[in-house]
Amino acid sequence: MDAQGHGRANDVDPADQWVLNPATGEYELRLAPAAPQSPVPGPRRAAPVRNGAPGGRTTAGNGVPGSRRTAPVAPGRDVPPPRRRRDAPEEPLPGRRGRRPVKKKSNAKKALLWTGGTMAFVLVAGATTGWFYLKHLEGNVGTTDVGDAAASSFSKDEAFNILVIGTDKRTGEGNEGYGDKGSVGHADTNILLHVAKDRSNATALSIPRDLIVDIPDCQTKQEDGSDAVVAGQDGVRFNRSLGERGRDAGCTMRTVEAATGITPDHFVMADFNAVKTLTSAVDGVDVCVEKAVDDKQSKLKLPAGESKVEGEQALAFVRTRHAFGNSGDLDRIKVQQQFLGSLMRKMTSGDTLTSPRKLLKLAEAATEALTVDKAIGNVGTLKDIALELKKVPTKNISFMTVPVKDNPAETVKATVVVDESQAPPIFEAIKNDVSFTEVKTEQKKEKAEIAARLKGTKSAASDVRVSILNGGAPAGSAQQQLAYFQTEAGVTKSDNAGNAEAPLAKTTLEYDPDQADQARRLADIMGLSGAALKPGKSVTNAQGLPAMTLTLGKDFKGAGVKLNAATTAPANVAGRSTADKVQCAS
């Protein structure tokens, strides 16, 4: 309500009820009371009068309303002031402030009860409304059950990989000019986002839609709840890993793993409308073009230099093929990366983060636009992911594209294949949580300490005692590795301890500090990184002697095959950029 009191109490925008809590850095819903309260206290009950006169308004000695309670004066009568006890303090003169009377303890307790009860009611009401609002947002999010293609949960304490899929499915008004008519939605734009365990950096790896890959068989969930296996295909475009033959996002995740060796943990999928709604929610995204653009097909028209785009214009910017470069998909990927960098800067800017109205619009837009796997299909988990992403400095978010070359099998070049001379080191760096940018000194120090685990003396292979567990590797891997140790590597004091309690993404070696020389020898035999070595406790082997524990993770490549984990990222990756830099599309 304004100063004149116009308007109704319930005409309050919900966005104005979200308040920044400086202790947590998050917005919290704080509701106003159900009815407006007057800032002026109401009249107090008059003190009883000893001569039996009826109570009335309290007055000071001259009949003017005041802070002291006196008996009212009846017309035409002089009433003497009430007597005071001999031991009572003298009343202050009119117009002078005296001490406030001390409240009785019982009144204080009553006031405390009323205040506490009212506050509890407001908090419960706020929490309840907040809960309903979160449920409303949760209802916006679509989910797909992709089975074991995705992780069963999200961990805030580990590195994670999210596959971001933009489909070319036509939905919503104004999208008739984009995508294939009648398409169920292919994997048109694909970015594998890796977020480092220490949140010091992230890597966004674009996968071209026209990359030739082998799509593996994949199990999909049918509408009736049954499972069906969609047969794989060899030597086809990557974008066919979604939509075609009933393939879901889980099939695309499996295709990424088959092509790169990197396992996506979760997926986030959106169609054309996401670009429109997200850019509108943040009041537009700044873009830059070297030359003026007037693309008749996408209807994108921009002057040279910087502009702000949102809604339909933003979609045209990321979808156009003819305004930049050689009108190919690889040039469009570069433009999309620049656009995403600008969107990230806008979403994490103070202008957005300090505006409850923008944050609410962003929450609505994001949840309505997304389809995710079931493990992250609730607002609480999505919020956790967003908060983890917020920790990564934009200067340490690297954008790059899978290194490719023209498909040698084609006369007319239309597709690309992985460049095997450049791509593997990039894949290995991402798999091993290696940053493509410089990180803070303390983080570099920690990495140096991890690398130092490999430095020092190495025991003889015959002195290495190790028990092997299968922690996510293919069935039979522990026995195969045992055979390799004993027959070819000279690690004769080894045994198969069965399966680990829980699967691991990466192979690890746990050892007592006294066994460091044995750990270094085994790391040398297997090609383990310093990060794979975990100082801890030894176990007792079949002979009753202390032994290390080798757990074969999902990254295990086979008995006798070294893991050769990368510890540094390749330098001068072609086309690499970071999210903090403003670039102009050309």
Side-chain angles (χ1 to χ4, degrees), residues 113-123:
L113 286 172
W114 276 106
T115 304
T118 304
M119 182 60 69
F121 176 79
V122 171
L123 289 175

Side-chain angles (χ1 to χ4, degrees), residues 337-349:
Q337 291 174 347
Q338 294 164 12
F339 175 85
L340 286 174
S342 181
L343 179 59
M344 286 181 178
R345 292 193 296 273
K346 188 64 178 286
M347 292 173 66
T348 57
S349 68

Side-chain angles (χ1 to χ4, degrees), residues 116-364:
T118 304
M119 182 60 69
F121 176 79
V122 171
L123 289 175
V124 169
T128 303
T129 306
W131 183 84
F132 278 115
Y133 182 72
L134 291 178
K135 284 299 177 184
H136 157 71
L137 290 179
E138 202 161 291
N140 290 346
V141 183
T143 60
T144 300
D145 185 354
V146 296
D148 61 2
S152 59
S153 62
F154 172 73
S155 174
K156 293 190 287 186
D157 302 319
E158 298 294 335
F160 60 90
N161 301 316
I162 295 182
L163 180 61
V164 181
I165 307 171
T167 75
D168 56 4
K169 184 177 181 179
R170 293 186 183 181
T171 60
E173 296 182 7
N175 295 332
E176 294 80 8
Y178 304 104
D180 300 326
K181 186 175 182 180
S183 170
V184 293
H186 295 105
D188 189 62
T189 299
N190 311 278
I191 298 175
L192 181 61
L193 177 64
H194 170 79
V195 181
K197 180 177 181 178
D198 61 8
R199 309 300 186 244
S200 67
N201 66 92
T203 303
L205 181 68
S206 292
I207 303 172
R209 53 164 288 164
D210 296 325
L211 177 68
I212 296 300
V213 295
D214 294 339
I215 300 175
D217 296 345
C218 64
Q219 185 170 297
T220 60
K221 187 73 68 175
Q222 305 300 297
E223 291 184 3
D224 61 1
S226 62
D227 293 325
V229 176
V230 181
Q233 289 178 280
D234 293 341
V236 296
R237 279 181 168 89
F238 181 89
N239 69 333
R240 296 174 66 180
S241 64
L242 178 71
E244 192 168 301
R245 300 186 181 184
R247 295 188 178 107
D248 59 18
C251 299
T252 309
M253 296 172 74
R254 297 179 195 275
T255 303
V256 168
E257 184 174 9
T260 66
I262 305 168
T263 303
D265 299 304
H266 306 284
F267 82 87
V268 173
M269 184 166 61
D271 59 23
F272 295 142
N273 287 322
V275 177
K276 294 183 183 181
T277 56
L278 288 174
T279 53
S280 295
V282 295
D283 294 339
V285 173
D286 296 323
V287 297
C288 180
V289 294
E290 289 188 357
K291 299 178 181 179
V293 174
D294 189 2
D295 181 12
K296 299 297 188 293
Q297 288 187 292
S298 67
K299 299 181 176 61
L300 178 65
K301 193 170 184 177
L302 293 174
E306 295 185 1
S307 300
K308 181 180 287 187
V309 296
E310 69 174 278
E312 192 71 40
Q313 195 178 32
L315 178 58
F317 184 82
V318 299
R319 287 292 303 161
T320 180
R321 285 175 173 269
H322 306 287
F324 310 110
N326 61 4
S327 302
D329 188 53
L330 296 180
D331 289 300
R332 186 179 66 160
I333 287 175
K334 293 178 183 177
V335 173
Q336 290 172 345
Q337 291 174 347
Q338 294 164 12
F339 175 85
L340 286 174
S342 181
L343 179 59
M344 286 181 178
R345 292 193 296 273
K346 188 64 178 286
M347 292 173 66
T348 57
S349 68
D351 182 51
T352 300
L353 294 178
T354 58
S355 170
R357 190 179 302 277
K358 285 186 180 180
L359 287 175
L360 282 178
K361 287 174 63 178
L362 193 56
E364 290 283 355

Side-chain angles (χ1 to χ4, degrees), residues 31-52:
L31 297 182
Q37 303 296 318
S38 170
V40 182
R44 295 180 178 178
R45 180 177 297 175
V49 181
R50 293 185 179 181
N51 62 3

